[in-house]
Amino acid sequence: QVQLVESGVGLVQPGGSLTLSCAASGFTLDYYALAWFRQAPGKEREGVSCISPSDGSTVYADSVKGRFAISRDNVKNTAYLQMNSLKPGDTAIYYCATTKAGGVCYITDPADYDYWGKGTQVAVSS
């Protein structure tokens, strides 16, 4: 049974940093694409970043490029999202998601992903 569990909920001041974790079970993380999405109140779910299973290549939304970094630890079967220089606009519920589809990952459509965690709240405020 595929399960994803996010952790790292927090209230952070603008300019601060936070690392989110996504613990995977029921499958081997490095064989699947892993993505982070986020959803702010009143807005659609949007892709933040993903990491491909084959070569570990990464994709980032323009809004987080240069500030966020996605990674995975194959031994711990856990993915991470390191978030730096946080802005109030980063406030959202963050979800990790995975898909059995191979190849290069994308973050354009949440429907591309089959399995989702329950999400973790990130608030950026002074």
Side-chain angles (χ1 to χ4, degrees):
Q1 181 180 356
V2 173
Q3 283 193 323
L4 298 169
V5 179
E6 303 96 338
S7 61
V9 61
L11 172 62
V12 184
Q13 291 188 340
S17 298
L18 185 65
T19 299
L20 303 182
S21 301
C22 175
S25 60
F27 70 105
T28 302
L29 188 58
D30 60 342
Y31 292 165
Y32 294 81
L34 190 287
W36 288 94
F37 286 80
R38 68 185 181 185
Q39 189 164 18
K43 295 188 176 181
E44 293 186 351
R45 193 166 296 189
E46 64 171 352
V48 175
S49 181
C50 66
I51 183 166
S52 296
S54 53
D55 59 0
S57 59
T58 56
V59 175
Y60 294 95
D62 288 343
S63 59
V64 306
K65 203 171 292 184
R67 300 188 298 122
F68 290 13
I70 190 171
S71 62
R72 64 177 182 231
D73 184 327
N74 294 335
V75 174
K76 295 182 178 180
N77 215 34
T78 299
Y80 303 93
L81 185 68
Q82 173 68 44
M83 305 185 293
N84 300 318
S85 302
L86 284 161
K87 306 175 182 180
D90 295 318
T91 295
I93 298 175
Y94 283 72
Y95 301 88
C96 61
T98 192
T99 175
K100 294 181 178 179
V104 178
C105 68
Y106 297 94
I107 53 172
T108 50
D109 188 354
D112 290 337
Y113 290 83
D114 308 304
Y115 303 97
W116 292 80
K118 293 183 178 180
T120 187
Q121 176 71 55
V122 173
V124 183
S125 175
S126 56

